[in-house]
Amino acid sequence: MGWRSRRRPEGFNLAFLDIMSCGLGAIILIFMLVKYHSDAPGSETRQLQAQLAGLRDEITAIASNNRALNEQLERLKRELQQAARGAAQSGRESEAAAGELIALTREINRLEETLARRKAESEAAQQPEPSDDKLRQDHLIGLRVEGERILILVDNSASMAEERLVDIVKIKAAGVAAQKAAPKWRRTLAIARWIIERVPEDSEYIVARYNDSADFVPDSQWLSGADAGARAAVIQSLEELYPQAATNLHAALQLIKRGAVSPTDIYVITDSLPTKGFESLSALKRRKVCGSFTGKATTVSGECRLELFHAAVNRFANSRAKVNTVLLPIEGDPDAAYAYWLWAASTTGMMVSPAGSWP
């Protein structure tokens, strides 16, 4: 009987299935263990971010008040500079533009006074709170009295009696007593006294007055800021003056030009551009804007007054003194604010136009 040969079993089938099953199980396990969206923040990260946001909000709330004031101040300064550049391009400002320039200057000064007051209150938190009068004594809207040798120029021309031209004419006709008692002149003397009283004790100062001429008050000697007797004598000498005659800025600056004094800082108290200049006016007469400006003329145009101002300042340009101006504006002189502001800025000084309630 024959027998059929039996097929030899292959060892591949069971072993291969085991390996494939294990591999499939490993892959499934890997998918189960993998954490999807691993870049999403966990609860701890969110908590830390919330705390950080809260701290930022707290810091912002603390700093927001002063920052708002500083931002407003910077905005107004930029507007002031834009107005000044616009005036320079056009050659002269209109009366409305000058009024806007003065208003912006006063607003900037008011903000600077507020910031200075807050700084003083912060530094004196452990001391009795200063009164408003004390704060006004310490600061004139950002203007500080400083310098090694200080020259104080007080304009006592006729326009320093009042702000309106018609009122100036009335006071001039009323006599010397009325001119000495004129409101604007009393305010001018108060500002001069404010500056004199705040000259540092380790500084020297000298006071001069000018209208169509100029001289020192009471004499041409430098005085010590620590000398109370000399200070009282200067203030008394100013009280004897009164507003009269034309405005000659060149005569005032000539005190420096001819070497009578050599100041490091100058404080000018005035209200307008000059109406009179140096003796030789041939150069100005040749200019079209000053064609009517002769020795017998009774009026001076605004363009010519601006030329007189630039002529005086240009002769003074070699001086290194810092110029600060306190401007008490008069009607009908729109170019004064920009001219004095530009002069002060060119020497790193400042021009202020205080509110009527000061001092």
Side-chain angles (χ1 to χ4, degrees):
M1 155 180 180
W3 56 280
R4 183 182 299 175
S5 61
R6 186 177 297 176
R7 172 183 272 178
R8 186 178 180 180
E10 297 181 6
F12 169 78
N13 49 5
L14 182 58
F16 178 75
L17 291 176
D18 290 341
I19 292 172
M20 292 298 293
S21 299
C22 291
L24 180 59
I27 293 174
I28 294 173
L29 181 60
I30 290 173
F31 274 97
M32 292 176 64
L33 294 177
V34 169
K35 182 181 180 182
Y36 291 97
H37 308 295
S38 58
D39 57 340
S43 60
E44 292 184 1
T45 304
R46 289 193 295 270
Q47 185 177 4
L48 289 174
Q49 289 177 343
Q51 291 178 356
L52 179 59
L55 289 174
R56 287 176 177 170
D57 292 341
E58 185 176 352
I59 292 172
T60 301
I62 293 174
S64 60
N65 199 2
N66 282 344
R67 186 169 63 248
L69 283 174
N70 279 308
E71 290 175 353
Q72 187 178 4
L73 178 61
E74 291 302 322
R75 178 182 60 78
L76 289 171
K77 285 183 177 180
R78 287 195 298 271
E79 291 180 8
L80 181 61
Q81 291 173 353
Q82 290 173 358
R85 286 195 295 267
Q89 293 173 357
S90 63
R92 59 183 295 271
E93 295 174 287
S94 65
E95 192 163 348
E100 180 181 356
L101 185 62
I102 292 173
L104 283 172
T105 302
R106 287 178 175 173
E107 182 65 12
I108 289 173
N109 293 334
R110 185 187 66 79
L111 289 172
E112 288 180 341
E113 183 181 17
T114 301
L115 290 173
R117 182 170 64 251
R118 291 189 176 183
K119 180 179 179 181
E121 290 173 352
S122 176
E123 292 174 350
Q126 304 301 324
Q127 301 177 3
E129 186 176 353
S131 64
D132 289 340
D133 182 64
K134 178 63 168 61
L135 292 172
R136 283 196 298 269
Q137 291 176 2
D138 291 340
H139 303 279
L140 168 57
I141 49 181
L143 180 66
R144 289 184 177 274
V145 182
E146 56 188 1
E148 183 180 351
R149 294 184 307 278
I150 300 171
L151 170 62
I152 303 170
L153 292 177
V154 181
D155 180 356
N156 72 316
S157 61
S159 62
M160 296 298 285
E162 274 287 3
E163 294 183 359
R164 299 174 59 217
L165 297 177
V166 63
D167 295 330
I168 293 172
V169 174
K170 290 179 180 178
I171 290 180
K172 184 178 180 180
V176 173
Q179 292 168 3
K180 284 187 175 183
K184 185 177 175 181
W185 177 243
R186 300 312 305 173
R187 188 180 177 209
T188 301
L189 293 180
I191 293 173
R193 183 169 60 252
W194 186 95
I195 295 175
I196 293 170
E197 290 175 348
R198 279 149 191 82
V199 173
E201 292 186 356
D202 57 351
S203 300
E204 293 182 320
Y205 71 100
I206 192 168
V207 181
R209 64 96 212 152
Y210 70 99
N211 43 35
D212 57 354
S213 62
D215 52 42
F216 295 102
V217 179
D219 51 44
S220 58
Q221 294 182 355
W222 288 103
L223 305 173
S224 171
D227 190 341
R231 182 165 56 249
V234 171
I235 293 174
Q236 181 57 41
S237 297
L238 288 173
E239 289 287 344
E240 297 173 3
L241 301 175
Y242 60 94
Q244 58 175 325
T247 308
N248 190 343
L249 180 62
H250 176 265
L253 297 181
Q254 191 69 9
L255 295 174
I256 305 170
K257 186 70 176 179
R258 68 182 182 221
V261 292
S262 180
T264 59
D265 296 79
I266 301 175
Y267 292 82
V268 184
I269 308 172
T270 186
D271 68 338
S272 61
L273 295 173
T275 56
K276 188 175 180 180
F278 46 88
E279 295 180 0
S280 177
L281 294 172
S282 57
L284 289 179
K285 291 177 183 177
R286 288 195 297 268
R287 295 174 183 255
K288 293 182 179 180
V289 295
C290 292
S292 62
F293 191 49
T294 65
K296 298 180 180 180
T298 58
T299 60
V300 183
S301 67
E303 294 88 345
C304 193
R305 295 178 71 181
L306 195 58
E307 291 290 340
L308 288 170
F309 173 83
H310 290 310
V313 171
N314 289 340
R315 289 195 169 199
F316 170 74
N318 292 332
S319 173
R320 296 175 180 246
K322 182 171 70 173
V323 178
N324 299 281
T325 303
V326 180
L327 185 68
L328 308 177
I330 184 176
E331 72 173 1
D333 193 12
D335 295 314
Y338 171 67
Y340 281 105
W341 176 83
L342 187 62
W343 183 27
S346 68
T347 65
T348 69
M350 66 183 303
M351 188 274 287
V352 298
S353 183
S357 59
W358 193 92

